[in-house]
Amino acid sequence: MLAAGGTAALAIGLVGVTQLAFAATVFSANFEDGTTNAWSKSGGTWTVVTDGTKAVQQSNGSSENSRLFAGDTGWTTYTVQARVKPLSLGSGGFVGLLARAKSSTSFYRLALMPGNVVQLQAVNSGAVTVLASKSQTVSTGTWYTLSLTANGSTISGSVNGSSVGSGSSSVSASGRIGLQTAYSSGNFDDVTVDSSTTTPPPTSPTPTRTASPTPTPTRTSPPPTTTPPSSNWPTKTGDVSVSGTINVSGTLDGGLKRYCCIGDGSQSESQDPMFDLADGATLKNVIIGSPAGDGVHCEGRCTIQNVWWEDVGEDAATFLATNGDSYVIGGGAMNADDKVFQHNGSGTVHISGFYAKSIGKLYRGCGNCTKSYERHVTVDNVILDSPKYVVGININWGDTATLSRITLINGSKTHICAEYNGVAKGSEPPYLGDGMGDGHCNFSSSDITYK
């Protein structure tokens, strides 16, 4: 991976190269495919450019808060490393690397700042605590290798193999990685995540090879869909009679059989689900007939792949996990009076390659559940025919929606990203309006195609 950076990467120091060569690398990105599909965007203008090799660039130097996130919210002990080149550094701004991002405003950050300063920071709902600081030449147009390690409550950072310092913090026990700028612009490349627990060694001209500890188990993120969703309903291969909830642990591959039926087809939330997925379970290649009760329940992280709902009753699927990422990949749904996907827990729901027709909302973060959470959704490469809304989120709880490649048929009046204030159970969340590019609703008009 670092070889793609050419001589610029090698000039930074052999330590970073050797560490990554023999460590347990669980994630890497060098952007040579020309896309940021594996990342979710929050603010700014992010594009892949050529800077010797391919790199991702945030070019809007006036943007207050620009972020790209990747990885798994369940990651705990790891080192994230990246090459970072500030292109501009505005007053009060920075270009930085993030670890353990549990939300868009809570994480650990190693920041290159104006005035030749590097800071190691804990950011809690936007409030910054400086854990360590170092005087360091910070020049625009120069590549730096930033390394940020989270090991228990100890957070440490280095620039070009030289320690910035460390500190103790309980802001976040787990979370994704991120790239960030504020009132600045910059390029980022050769991002890697090492799941070992060893703090990066000090600079040495002759690095010593050591055995890597067993990596922390991670959940592999499915790749983004590339082909457009199909609007052609699949032909069933058989029928399965359902008399009660089917509990799934591991993987249930239905082979495109039609599972039917349960419940009364109403909007009652007291109905049992047809499928109940345990944490880490996968449901795939299933046609769900009508009535389908309360659809699919994900008790933890789950993957729903190539599942088709003939008629959505209450909800097609409800996500209940209190952490981590869940995925809807391919498939489709018809006739949802209200929501297709309901998000009651926390974490992030990723929806890609999906087709839906005659629906209320594709996704809604619960606005009046018993427990309030910060929730996130990414929607990419979907076709929606006659929807009323694409997504609905609660901005007072820090929700975000990242949208790309959205095709709307008969959607001239569709609300793309509806913003609400979440409320206590028993009340109705007030609708505030539609957002775009405001840090909560992260998309631009070019991400939406009308047909």
Side-chain angles (χ1 to χ4, degrees):
M1 184 63 64
L2 287 179
T7 57
L10 293 175
I12 290 169
L14 292 173
V15 171
V17 175
T18 302
Q19 176 197 352
L20 292 174
F22 302 108
T25 301
V26 296
F27 177 91
S28 63
N30 61 9
F31 307 103
E32 290 302 315
D33 62 356
T35 73
T36 56
N37 289 342
W39 300 73
S40 59
K41 180 181 72 173
S42 179
T45 304
W46 296 89
T47 55
V48 176
V49 299
T50 299
D51 187 353
T53 59
K54 298 290 187 182
V56 66
Q57 180 179 99
Q58 198 297 107
S59 58
N60 186 353
S62 62
S63 176
E64 178 182 4
N65 205 352
S66 306
R67 293 149 294 185
L68 276 186
F69 294 106
D72 195 312
T73 56
W75 283 352
T76 55
T77 300
Y78 62 87
T79 295
V80 56
Q81 178 170 294
R83 295 198 305 133
V84 179
K85 177 194 281 189
L87 299 178
S88 67
L89 286 170
S91 177
F94 60 83
V95 176
L97 179 65
L98 311 181
R100 282 193 189 165
K102 67 178 182 180
S103 73
S104 59
T105 58
S106 295
F107 38 72
Y108 298 112
R109 179 167 65 207
L110 185 61
L112 301 174
M113 308 179 71
N116 297 322
V117 173
V118 182
Q119 284 189 355
L120 179 66
Q121 304 169 341
V123 183
N124 190 5
S125 298
V128 178
T129 299
V130 178
L131 302 178
S133 182
K134 180 182 180 180
S135 295
Q136 158 97 38
T137 299
V138 177
S139 303
T140 57
T142 299
W143 283 105
Y144 299 88
T145 294
L146 273 58
S147 182
L148 184 55
T149 297
N151 188 355
S153 62
T154 300
I155 313 302
S156 58
S158 68
V159 177
N160 294 350
S162 178
S163 174
V164 173
S166 64
S168 180
S169 174
S170 59
V171 162
S172 179
S174 65
R176 299 185 291 171
I177 62 169
L179 314 173
Q180 185 180 23
T181 69
Y183 301 115
S184 304
S185 58
N187 289 350
F188 302 82
D189 199 4
D190 295 330
V191 184
T192 58
V193 178
D194 163 24
S195 68
S196 72
T197 58
T198 303
T199 302
T203 303
S204 171
T206 308
T208 301
R209 181 183 301 193
T210 58
S212 298
T214 301
T216 302
T218 59
R219 186 166 181 259
T220 302
S221 302
T225 56
T226 55
T227 58
S230 173
S231 59
N232 296 320
W233 211 258
T235 301
K236 68 178 182 180
T237 60
D239 291 283
V240 177
S241 179
V242 180
S243 58
T245 298
I246 300 172
N247 296 307
V248 180
S249 59
T251 298
L252 190 158
D253 187 336
L256 280 180
K257 292 184 175 66
R258 181 177 183 266
Y259 287 68
C260 194
C261 295
I262 188 173
D264 57 13
S266 72
Q267 292 291 305
S268 172
E269 294 187 357
S270 63
Q271 299 178 85
D272 292 331
M274 181 177 289
F275 294 95
D276 192 88
L277 308 187
D279 184 32
T282 296
L283 178 68
K284 61 190 298 185
N285 301 323
V286 167
I287 300 172
I288 296 180
S290 177
D294 202 30
V296 177
H297 281 190
C298 285
E299 301 296 339
R301 302 166 299 169
C302 71
T303 298
I304 300 172
Q305 185 172 1
N306 197 34
V307 174
W308 300 78
W309 287 263
E310 290 182 351
D311 191 313
V312 176
E314 165 52 18
D315 301 313
T318 303
F319 298 92
L320 303 167
T322 55
N323 201 354
D325 295 74
S326 292
Y327 298 87
V328 177
I329 305 168
M334 292 192 295
N335 304 323
D337 291 337
D338 193 3
K339 309 168 295 295
V340 177
F341 300 117
Q342 170 81 11
H343 195 178
N344 290 358
S346 61
T348 303
V349 174
H350 304 264
I351 304 167
S352 64
F354 196 79
Y355 168 78
K357 182 176 182 179
S358 300
I359 63 171
K361 297 180 180 72
L362 177 66
Y363 166 95
R364 178 67 169 102
C366 184
N368 57 1
C369 284
T370 302
K371 290 187 177 181
S372 304
Y373 296 102
E374 180 178 304
R375 305 177 177 96
H376 307 282
V377 62
T378 66
V379 182
D380 175 63
N381 191 28
V382 302
I383 296 177
L384 307 178
D385 188 341
S386 306
K388 296 177 182 177
Y389 298 77
V390 179
V391 300
I393 61 175
N394 309 297
I395 63 172
N396 60 319
W397 293 338
D399 292 5
T400 65
T402 302
L403 312 179
S404 56
R405 295 191 294 174
I406 310 296
T407 299
L408 301 179
I409 301 171
N410 302 317
S412 60
K413 297 182 179 180
T414 299
H415 297 272
I416 307 301
C417 185
E419 296 181 337
Y420 298 83
N421 268 341
V423 294
K425 187 174 180 64
S427 301
E428 283 299 314
Y431 166 67
L432 305 177
D434 286 4
M436 182 171 68
D438 59 1
H440 293 284
C441 293
N442 300 309
F443 70 99
S444 64
S445 57
S446 62
D447 292 307
I448 314 298
T449 300
Y450 294 90
K451 290 187 176 181

